Amino acid sequence: MIAVVSALGMTAVLGGCGLTGDSGEVTLKLVAADYGDTKANSSQHYWDELAKAYEAKHPDVRVDVTVYSWNDVDRKVREMVDAGEAPDMAQIGAYSDYADEDLLYRADDVLSIPVQADFVSQLAGAGQVNGVQYGLPFAASTRVLFYNKTLFDKAGVKPPKSWDDLAEAAEALKDKGVKYPYALPLGAEEAQAETMQWMLSGGGGYTDDVGTYAVDSPQNVTTFTWLRDELVGKGLTGPVAPGKLNRADAFAAFANGDVGMLNGHPSLMKAASDKGVKYGMVTTPGIDGESKNTLGVTDWMTAFKKNGHQDEIGDFLDFVYSDENVLDFSRRYDLLPVTTSASQVMSGAAEDKDLQPFLDELLLSELYPVGKTSWASVSADVKKLIGQAVAPGASPSAVLGQIQATAMRAGSAE
């Protein structure tokens, strides 16, 4: 997930959607994920303010919002759907399973043409199943290589542009006693992200050019063989085995000044700055130079058909995706806008200059194959197994082949 996971006290789920009393008032139920890391900046505050602003202009509509942490939100929505109590909208991490069950409105069922057309093309494309958009991008992120400027100066190295540069810098950092010359989080929390970032930098990916799973492609085998031999095998990834290192722990170590470099997304900027770490950001190194592609991630807004509030949902979502509201949310949580118009505003705004490296990468980004209902199974297998691919003496080809077998089995059921 994009979000920093937090566990906050949330409001209880409000019962029932539909007409309330005899007033003719429609109540829209929205379940959303929390992007805050404290109670003070919980996403509940954002949604409460937005709902209040909308209701002031639409007295016949109430918007009840329940926010859950990323630990819980997807499960909570699934439980509601399975109980026949689907919300009108859910802002969550996946959409394709609900689309496959024919539970969702299409994007063009609920959004006005200008709003739907304004989504960043890569994000809109990732929201499609068989060419039809069901997933509405809500918040986006890309990845760049963060490096600790102080540690790099002490080691006498420059930010890397290629894999060889990265390995040489890591060696120099190790010689200076840096705990994690390169932090390689392939632990269960978010291994699928680090994995895809490295696959892309080696010219591969989870799928090939026509969208067929290609986890064990020659490019991916080369990538993980290099990681095994040139980083992990040489002790350049720190004291914790990559398969045991989670993203959150790697980020915390960077903020504590113990990491020379790692792939990171925008939330790491604040974490590092708060701890006084002087950091730089560069394009992810690739096999022969700067990587031509980077990982893009987006979370999704979904609109459920269960309660039949098509017109009200559409009008509210047009409001949600206004430039003002998209920019407000993005700036609060150091995320990238999902609309072209808001991205253009942010690109030209001095207050958003720190996010510019991530904005620059967005149009070159590739997203997980989230339009495949099989992706959940494949992602789970990656989280469970990929750390084994870089262990000393391991066979990257065998591990990637095992994940590919899962992908083919799951994909055949689609």
Side-chain angles (χ1 to χ4, degrees):
M1 300 302 172
I2 293 172
V4 177
V5 174
S6 57
L8 308 178
M10 301 302 173
T11 57
V13 176
L14 297 169
C17 297
L19 299 181
T20 56
D22 297 321
S23 64
E25 181 182 87
V26 170
T27 298
L28 296 178
K29 268 297 308 295
L30 168 63
V31 176
D34 198 349
Y35 291 79
D37 55 5
T38 66
K39 191 171 183 177
N41 72 352
S42 166
S43 298
Q44 187 75 55
H45 300 304
Y46 170 82
W47 285 112
D48 287 347
E49 293 167 14
L50 187 144
K52 184 177 180 180
Y54 182 79
E55 290 169 352
K57 297 180 179 180
H58 302 80
D60 294 334
V61 178
R62 289 187 59 228
V63 183
D64 287 334
V65 185
T66 306
V67 172
Y68 292 105
S69 80
W70 274 111
N71 290 331
D72 301 321
V73 66
D74 284 357
R75 174 176 54 83
K76 290 287 188 180
V77 172
R78 172 47 72 182
E79 289 173 353
M80 294 170 71
V81 171
D82 289 348
E85 299 173 354
D88 294 283
M89 294 161 285
Q91 187 268 301
I92 48 181
Y95 69 87
S96 61
D97 51 346
Y98 297 122
D100 187 59
E101 297 167 42
D102 195 28
L103 299 177
L104 302 179
Y105 286 117
R106 298 158 47 123
D108 55 10
D109 287 334
V110 289
L111 296 178
S112 65
I113 292 174
V115 169
Q116 186 178 2
D118 197 27
F119 286 129
V120 173
S121 59
Q122 282 88 339
L123 307 182
Q128 295 179 359
V129 175
N130 296 324
V132 178
Q133 186 178 356
Y134 293 94
L136 315 182
F138 183 73
S141 176
T142 55
R143 299 293 195 272
V144 299
L145 185 80
F146 281 74
Y147 66 95
N148 184 309
K149 288 186 173 181
T150 302
L151 298 179
F152 265 57
D153 288 345
K154 288 181 179 178
V157 291
K158 296 180 179 179
K161 292 185 178 181
S162 68
W163 287 0
D164 287 345
D165 293 344
L166 188 149
E168 290 174 10
E171 285 277 12
L173 291 163
K174 181 185 178 183
D175 290 345
K176 291 297 182 180
V178 175
K179 189 173 181 180
Y180 294 90
Y182 178 85
L184 182 65
L186 296 177
E189 179 195 353
E190 205 191 32
Q192 81 282 1
E194 185 76 7
T195 296
M196 184 166 174
Q197 187 71 41
W198 276 98
M199 286 178 170
L200 291 172
S201 72
Y206 285 118
T207 60
D208 60 19
D209 292 341
V210 295
T212 302
Y213 282 114
V215 180
D216 61 348
S217 69
Q219 297 94 325
N220 292 340
V221 172
T222 296
T223 295
F224 280 86
T225 300
W226 187 90
L227 286 170
R228 180 198 64 186
D229 295 343
E230 302 301 326
L231 288 188
V232 181
K234 294 182 177 179
L236 302 180
T237 54
V240 180
K244 302 292 185 183
L245 182 64
N246 282 329
R247 192 274 314 271
D249 295 330
F251 278 22
F254 186 86
N256 287 332
D258 293 330
V259 174
M261 50 188 160
L262 82 171
N263 288 323
H265 57 59
S267 72
L268 184 55
M269 295 189 299
K270 183 177 185 301
S273 296
D274 287 349
K275 292 290 189 72
V277 171
K278 295 180 180 179
Y279 64 87
M281 299 180 293
V282 294
T283 300
T284 301
I287 189 168
D288 293 319
E290 293 181 351
S291 178
K292 296 178 176 61
N293 301 98
T294 190
L295 169 66
V297 180
T298 188
D299 298 325
W300 304 100
M301 179 69 75
T302 55
F304 285 86
K305 297 190 286 188
K306 171 70 175 177
N307 304 306
H309 296 147
Q310 180 177 349
D311 291 342
E312 291 85 359
I313 290 171
D315 192 69
F316 177 68
L317 288 178
D318 277 0
F319 179 73
V320 168
Y321 285 106
S322 68
D323 280 355
E324 177 184 359
N325 291 324
V326 170
L327 288 166
D328 182 13
F329 188 88
S330 301
R331 287 166 172 162
R332 287 195 194 200
Y333 299 106
D334 287 330
L335 295 167
L336 304 183
V338 296
T339 62
T340 300
S341 56
S343 295
Q344 291 171 345
V345 171
M346 188 172 276
S347 292
E351 66 182 288
D352 301 311
K353 68 181 188 310
D354 288 345
L355 284 170
Q356 193 61 50
F358 301 95
L359 283 167
D360 290 342
E361 296 287 348
L362 187 58
L363 294 179
L364 301 174
S365 65
E366 291 191 24
L367 282 78
Y368 304 127
V370 289
K372 296 177 177 290
T373 56
S374 56
W375 170 241
S377 297
V378 176
S379 177
D381 231 31
V382 171
K383 292 178 181 181
K384 182 171 66 174
L385 297 175
I386 197 63
Q388 299 174 20
V390 298
S395 169
S397 178
V399 175
L400 292 171
Q402 189 174 348
I403 298 170
Q404 175 70 10
T406 295
M408 297 304 290
R409 285 195 302 270
S412 66
E414 291 181 311

